[in-house]
């Protein structure tokens, strides 16, 4: 009903400037439900108000997790409200009473989407997934399946399936995180390598990682003091003078 | 020793392994020692307690044990001489002190020295010398006779010859002998002199021809074997020729080179896998601490800080400085040089930025260069000539250039500021610039002078900045940059730390600018060509395959930011983005690391090459949007252009000035970009095929390629590119093995066996950290020393009291004795007096 910009503005402040001051917060129920159904960033934002209604005002929301599951798409790692969204998702998934298939589906979906994520998001999502494993030990088959089939030709997980229970996530393994062990960013690679070992009992604190920005990451790297600087030993023969230089193939200096 | 003097400290328990220091004591001995010591020190002090005049021993170094006796003597002698010096009569000019050797006057010795013969009879005038002369000169020496006579004397003791006569006889004889000797010596001297003279005359004639034997004889006769001796000595002391290392054959050289490269490669691999032991140990803890704590404080102060520190490459600071410096320099420069420079600059073709500061442009050739040039010119000339011939054979063809180049000075000072550096290179051809840089490096090699290292380190920054400036020109001089990379590489090899710092600074600046733009506008645009060139240079200078590298990792981060944050609105943006994609691919070509941004971007590029409003089976991520302005940026509909397209490399210079080009050209460039994109997809596929989730990564791209790309509309060449990329994607086997965690080391059960700790020292507490232990030790030592000092003081007091008591006793005893004496004498007096009285009475 509202233009997108206005929607966003309202939703951003809804949870702490509007809802607490309303006599009947439940009146917002319909508005939020509609907003949640719109999809994209607006859904993400509506989540916050919805959470308050569910949490404090006994709102019954059918298929809440299914909708949340379907909110996950590649853009969640790139949008501005990433921190808020993952903070809430962390809350929603913190219950240990959730069925394993659901959590596994979330894990699998998040890590599948992580294949397109920038490093700052990866540094947040990998500990996030680790925490999920800690809370739901039943999901650990995703990283540790000793008696499984030796070789599969297909990932059993169905990404396109909207229903988490039918996504066959529990039959799959977290190859995505294994791929991320080869990530170019050393910290991401190290974080991903944690899943090779059995996890420690303590949960990681991800609150500090939620707001991590690319520039902060960059700054941290730049400020690191190096003991010595390894050098390229191949003699330079010009700007595009390397062996098999891709640039020489496609770009010219003129 | 006496068993009664030994006191044994009895131990209650025997403890194995304990060493006791104080089980036996010698109280008597130690007490007597202590008393003796006090006698020497305390008693003396006590006795002299009210005396103010002190006996001072001013002999030099009398109590100094550090200098040897000889040295002490020498120093004393010197002191003595110093004292005497200058105290003499000032009117007596000639009176020098007498030099002596072994107590004999050197002057005297010198006087006798003209007698060359070393028979040395002058000094030894006693009987022994007489004996010697007798033996040598054979002429019945006085001694024999004397001996005989003395024997005779002994035998005929009673003869009437008186002693006086004998002595007179002896004196006469000795005088005669002396005379004889003197005459003989004189004649010998004369003869030798004559011989010398003759020899000198002959010598010139028979310089070469004298047989050896003769020469030897003569030299033996002559006691001055100057040259010969010298030569012999020289030969003796000359360095023996050492066996040098064998020259290596080409094979060996090649082998060595190969071994070196292999080692470097192994090193690189180690770094790539990040198995650096120290790093591995340190990093994890370091990391976690950083992750949690660092995030939010970083933002503010860093830029200010660095701009002060690295002033050399900070543009804003630099320019302010430069202006001042420029003015100063103008005043300083010598006139004759200015003229020269004017001539030079007139000859050179005017380039865009030269006009304004033509006069200024050569101010950096400071006046001291001239003199330097003269000094080092010759040497440098040879070197440089050789180098020129090797490195630039192109220029030989061009006589004009040759002539211009010959005017280049051979020595350069390292420019102090970027401005001077720029003016040094301005207007020169690329080759000349290279030569100038090379000469700067040579003239200021760090081994030549102390400050050169810092200067050359600065030079790296200047060069980098210069390259950046060349890249940002309207017509980027990429060819020049291409050449300038070489000196950059060399400098980097010389000073890795400084080089990495400069590049990091540039990256930091660029990233900061990007961040600022994002904060202000919410969206960022791609940076200029210079940033791209810098990133490319990073890959040339540093190994990009390292797990972590102080320069390369930030460069990765920066590139990732560029690909994710920058908006794609124009074709230039696409080209730049593809350039960065190429950079990414090049960076990870050896390490095969996964770069999600790269895949996203390629997907986006494909997406914008498609016509609008298609059903999508894929999702593009930021900066590409499924709907929006930048759609169809790469879409080419013109059939004509499609047909006429041929794959060609994209000229980088197109980036800053795309607007002027024609529509066809733009279309062709679009197609080239698309082809490049296909090729990059193919390369990515080849690179990442070993990743376990390769298919998931590539799924959107494959989807798009197979379902959406209008292959049939493409020209044939493009179709080739397309198919090769698609093939690369499709013919990978799907292969999944379930993950299995690494086995954890089983945690050992808790056990109740006693913990065994190695005891290093008994009687000392083991617990606590090292620092704590040290502290305890110190406290204990302090306590012990304090106790000892108190004890000593107490004993001193006791000793003093004893001394005082004994003094008093002595005094009393003396008084008593005196009193007794007095009384005694009085008694005797009395007695005597009484005796006298009694006598009187008797009488």
């Amino acid at each position: 009903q509202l233009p997108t910009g206005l929607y966003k503005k309202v939703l951003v402040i809804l949870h702490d400037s509007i809802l607490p001051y309303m006599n009947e917060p439940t009146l917002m129920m319909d508005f939020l439900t509609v907003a949640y159904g719109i999809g994209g960033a607006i859904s993400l934002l509506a989540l916050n108000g919805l959470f308050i209604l569910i949490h404090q005002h006994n709102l019954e929301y059918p298929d809440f997790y299914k909708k949340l599951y379907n909110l996950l798409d590649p853009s969640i790692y790139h949008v501005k409200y990433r921190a808020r969204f993952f903070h809430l998702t962390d809350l929603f998934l913190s219950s240990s009473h959730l069925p394993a298939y659901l959590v596994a589906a979330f894990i699998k979906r998040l890590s599948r989407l992580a294949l397109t994520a920038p490093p700052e998001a990866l540094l947040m999502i990998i500990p996030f997934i680790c925490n999920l494993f800690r809370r739901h030990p039943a999901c650990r088959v995703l990283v540790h399946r000793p008696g499984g089939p030796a070789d599969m030709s297909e990932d059993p997980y169905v990404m396109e399936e909207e229903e988490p229970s039918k996504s066959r996530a529990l039959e799959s393994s977290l190859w995505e995180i294994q791929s991320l062990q080869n990530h170019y960013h050393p910290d991401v690679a190290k974080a991903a390598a944690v899943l090779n070992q059995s996890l420690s009992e303590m949960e990681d604190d991800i609150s500090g990682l939620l707001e991590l920005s690319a520039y902060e990451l960059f700054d941290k790297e730049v400020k690191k003091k190096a003991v010595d600087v390894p050098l390229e030993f191949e003699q330079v023969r010009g700007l595009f003078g390397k062996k098999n230089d891709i640039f020489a193939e496609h770009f010219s200096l003129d | 020793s006496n068993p009664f003097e030994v006191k044994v400290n009895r131990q209650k328990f025997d403890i194995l392994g304990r060493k006791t220091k104080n089980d036996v004591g010698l109280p008597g001995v130690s007490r007597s020692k202590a008393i003796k010591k006090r006698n020497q020190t305390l008693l003396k002090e006590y006795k002299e307690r009210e005396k103010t005049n002190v006996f001072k021993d001013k002999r030099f170094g009398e109590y100094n044990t550090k200098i040897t006796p000889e040295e002490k003597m020498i120093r004393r002698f010197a002191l003595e001489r110093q004292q005497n010096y200058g105290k003499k009569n000032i009117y007596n000019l000639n009176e020098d002190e007498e030099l002596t050797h072994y107590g004999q006057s050197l002057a005297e010795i010198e006087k006798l020295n003209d007698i060359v013969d070393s028979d040395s009879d002058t000094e030894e005038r006693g009987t022994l010398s007489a004996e010697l002369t007798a033996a040598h000169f054979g002429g019945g020496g006085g001694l024999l006779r004397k001996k005989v006579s003395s024997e005779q004397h002994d035998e005929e003791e009673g003869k009437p010859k008186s002693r006086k006569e004998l002595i007179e006889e002896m004196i006469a004889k000795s005088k005669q002998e002396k005379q004889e000797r003197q005459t003989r010596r004189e004649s010998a001297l004369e003869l030798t002199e004559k011989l010398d003279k003759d020899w000198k005359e002959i010598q010139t004639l028979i310089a070469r021809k004298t047989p050896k034997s003769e020469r030897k004889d003569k030299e033996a006769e002559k006691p001055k074997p100057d040259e010969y001796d010298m030569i012999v000595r020289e030969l003796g002391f000359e360095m023996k020729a050492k066996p040098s290392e064998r020259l290596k054959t080409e094979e060996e050289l090649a082998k060595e080179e190969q071994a070196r490269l292999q080692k470097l490669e192994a090193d690189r691999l180690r770094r790539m896998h990040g198995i650096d032991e120290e790093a591995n140990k340190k990093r994890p803890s370091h990391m976690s601490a950083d992750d949690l704590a660092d995030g939010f404080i970083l933002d503010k102060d860093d830029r200010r800080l660095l701009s002060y520190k690295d002033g050399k490459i900070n543009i804003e600071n630099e320019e302010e400085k430069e202006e001042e410096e420029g003015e100063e320099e103008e005043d300083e420069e010598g006139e004759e040089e200015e003229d020269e420079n004017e001539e030079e600059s007139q000859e050179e073709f005017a380039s865009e930025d030269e006009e304004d500061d033509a006069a200024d442009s050569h101010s950096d050739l400071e006046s001291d260069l001239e003199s330097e040039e003269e000094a080092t010119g010759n040497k440098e000339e040879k070197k440089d000539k050789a180098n020129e011939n090797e490195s630039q054979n192109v220029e030989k063809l061009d006589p004009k250039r040759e002539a211009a180049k010959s005017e280049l000075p051979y020595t350069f000072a390292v420019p102090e500021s970027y401005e001077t550096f720029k003016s040094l290179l301005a207007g020169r051809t690329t080759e000349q610039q290279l030569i100038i840089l090379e000469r700067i490096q040579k003239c200021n090699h760090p081994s030549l002078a102390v400050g050169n290292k810092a200067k050359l380190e600065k030079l790296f920054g200047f060069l980098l900045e210069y390259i950046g400036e060349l890249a940002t020109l309207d017509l980027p001089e990429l060819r020049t940059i291409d050449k300038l990379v070489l000196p950059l590489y060399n400098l980097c090899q010389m000073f890795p730390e400084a080089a990495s710092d400069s590049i990091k600074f540039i990256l930091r600046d660029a990233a900061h600018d990007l961040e600022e733009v994002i904060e202000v506008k919410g969206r960022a645009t791609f940076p200029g060509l210079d940033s791209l060139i810098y990133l490319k240079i990073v890959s040339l200078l540093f190994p990009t395959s390292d797990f972590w590298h102080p320069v390369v990792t930030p460069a990765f981060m920066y590139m990732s930011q560029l690909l994710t944050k920058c908006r794609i609105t124009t074709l230039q943006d696409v080209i730049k983005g593809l350039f960065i994609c190429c950079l990414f691919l090049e960076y990870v070509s050896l390490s095969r690391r996964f770069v999600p941004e790269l895949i996203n971007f390629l997907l986006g590029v494909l997406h914008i090459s498609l016509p609008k409003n298609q059903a999508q089976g894929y999702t593009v991520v930021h900066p590409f949007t499924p709907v929006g302005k930048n759609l169809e940026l790469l879409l080419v509909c013109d059939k004509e252009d499609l047909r006429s397209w041929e794959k060609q490399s994209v000229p980088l210079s197109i980036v800053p000035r795309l607007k002027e080009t024609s529509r066809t050209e733009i279309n062709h460039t679009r197609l080239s970009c698309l082809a490049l994109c296909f090729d990059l997809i193919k390369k990515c596929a080849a690179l990442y095929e070993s990743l376990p989730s390769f298919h998931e990564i590539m799924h959107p791209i494959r989807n798009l390629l197979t379902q959406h790309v209008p292959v049939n509309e493409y020209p044939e060449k493009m179709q080739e590119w397309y198919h090769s990329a698609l093939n690369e994607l499709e013919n990978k086997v799907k292969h999944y093995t379930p993950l299995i965690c690494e086995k954890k080391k089983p945690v050992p059960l808790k056990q109740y066996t006693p913990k065994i700790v190695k005891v290093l020292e008994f009687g000392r507490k083991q617990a606590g950290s090292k620092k704590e232990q040290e502290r305890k030790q110190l406290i204990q030592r302090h306590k012990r020393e304090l106790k000892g000092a108190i004890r000593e003081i107490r004993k001193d007091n006791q000793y003093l009291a004893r001394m005082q008591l004994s003094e008093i006793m002595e005094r009393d005893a003396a008084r008593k004795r005196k009193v007794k004496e007095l009384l005694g004498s009085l008694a005797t007096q009395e007695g005597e007096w009484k005796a006298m009285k009694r006598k009187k009475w008797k009488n």
Side-chain angles (χ1 to χ4, degrees), chain A residues 184-238:
Chain A
Y184 68 90
H185 195 282
D187 296 351
V188 174
K190 262 186 249 158
V194 167
L195 281 175
N196 275 355
Q197 276 103 40
S198 44
L199 290 164
S200 60
E201 290 301 313
M202 280 291 290
E203 284 196 11
D204 295 325
D205 178 25
I206 62 162
S207 59
L209 300 171
L210 286 174
E211 303 264 8
L212 204 61
S213 81
Y215 182 66
E216 278 164 18
L217 267 189
F218 175 85
D219 219 44
K220 206 178 81 190
E221 285 302 327
V222 162
K223 277 187 177 165
K224 269 188 197 167
K225 287 274 173 287
V227 186
D228 66 333
V229 185
L231 291 173
E232 180 64 52
F233 53 84
E234 199 184 313
Q235 176 70 40
V236 168
R237 283 186 298 272

Side-chain angles (χ1 to χ4, degrees), chain B residues 598-608 618-620 700-701 704:
Chain B
L598 173 61
I599 308 291
N600 292 345
F601 195 87
L602 291 178
L603 181 70
V605 169
L606 283 183
H607 171 66
I608 56 173
Y618 56 91
T619 25
V620 287
I701 287 187
L704 198 148

Side-chain angles (χ1 to χ4, degrees), chain A residues 175 179 182 221 239 250 254, chain B residues 482 548 594 650 653 679 693 737:
Chain A
W175 292 290
S179 302
N182 264 327
E221 285 302 327
L239 203 52
H250 296 289
D254 294 317
Chain B
D482 190 31
W548 181 82
F594 174 46
V650 183
S653 54
D679 190 44
S693 49
T737 44

Side-chain angles (χ1 to χ4, degrees), chain A residues 73-75 78 112 114-120 122-123 141-146 148-155 160 173-176 178-180 182-187 189-190 195-199 205 207-209 211-242 245-254, chain B residues 261 264-265 271 283 287 290-292 294-296 298-299 302 478-479 481-482 485-486 489 492-493 496-497 500 504 507-508 511-512 515 533 536-537 539-543 546-550 553-554 556-558 560-561 565 575 579 582-583 585-586 593-597 600 619 621-622 647 649-653 676 679 683 691-693 696-697 699 721 734-742 744:
Chain A
D73 75 339
S75 61
H78 297 268
R112 176 67 62 85
L115 287 176
T116 61
E120 64 269 19
L122 287 174
L123 280 179
V141 285
L142 283 181
V143 284
H144 184 60
R145 193 188 300 276
D151 207 2
M152 284 180 270
S153 63
E154 194 76 45
D155 190 347
E160 289 77 19
S173 276
L174 270 192
W175 292 290
E176 290 84 359
Q178 202 188 11
S179 302
L180 287 178
N182 264 327
H183 196 269
Y184 68 90
H185 195 282
D187 296 351
K190 262 186 249 158
L195 281 175
N196 275 355
Q197 276 103 40
S198 44
L199 290 164
D205 178 25
S207 59
L209 300 171
E211 303 264 8
L212 204 61
S213 81
Y215 182 66
E216 278 164 18
L217 267 189
F218 175 85
D219 219 44
K220 206 178 81 190
E221 285 302 327
V222 162
K223 277 187 177 165
K224 269 188 197 167
K225 287 274 173 287
V227 186
D228 66 333
V229 185
L231 291 173
E232 180 64 52
F233 53 84
E234 199 184 313
Q235 176 70 40
V236 168
R237 283 186 298 272
L239 203 52
F240 293 164
K242 271 193 175 181
D245 202 304
I246 313 167
F247 295 92
E249 220 176 303
H250 296 289
F251 292 99
S252 68
L253 289 169
D254 294 317
Chain B
L261 284 179
L264 287 170
E265 177 67 16
R271 279 185 273 123
R283 220 174 278 157
M287 279 299 308
D290 269 5
D291 272 355
L292 295 175
D294 246 15
F296 298 96
L298 295 177
D299 243 6
D302 53 307
L478 294 166
R479 291 278 169 208
I481 295 175
D482 190 31
V485 169
L486 289 172
Y489 176 80
C492 181
Q493 295 284 322
E497 279 83 17
S500 74
K504 259 157 86 175
L507 284 177
R508 177 193 284 250
H512 188 91
E515 182 65 17
I533 297 290
K536 175 69 190 160
I537 284 174
S539 80
L540 293 177
L541 299 185
F542 301 104
D546 287 10
F547 185 70
W548 181 82
H549 189 283
T553 309
F556 262 125
M557 300 297 304
Y558 180 52
S560 145
Q561 266 173 288
K565 299 270 169 68
I575 295 175
F579 189 91
C582 287
L583 276 172
L585 261 185
E586 190 188 3
R593 298 196 199 290
F594 174 46
V595 187
E597 291 87 343
N600 292 345
T619 25
V621 295
H622 203 74
K647 167 68 184 152
S649 36
V650 183
L652 280 181
S653 54
L676 168 58
D679 190 44
K683 288 206 163 76
L691 287 183
S693 49
E696 281 74 36
I697 293 167
H699 178 254
W721 287 103
K734 286 191 175 183
H735 182 75
Y736 298 89
T737 44
L739 293 180
I740 290 178
C741 278
E742 284 166 17
K744 202 162 63 170

Side-chain angles (χ1 to χ4, degrees), chain B residues 364-409:
Chain B
D364 47 285
L365 309 174
E366 286 149 31
S367 49
D368 58 330
L369 274 186
E370 212 76 326
S371 55
E372 254 183 68
E373 193 183 334
E374 277 168 19
T376 52
N378 293 336
K379 214 170 65 183
E380 290 293 328
E381 205 162 353
K382 281 179 207 159
K383 244 196 251 169
D384 286 330
K385 275 277 156 60
N387 281 322
E388 284 155 31
N389 291 346
E390 278 171 18
S391 53
Q392 284 94 25
N393 25 18
V394 198
E395 62 206 59
K396 268 188 186 170
L397 307 171
D398 197 343
K400 229 197 213 164
R401 225 181 266 171
E402 184 80 44
K405 195 188 61 202
S406 66
E407 282 174 23
L408 287 179

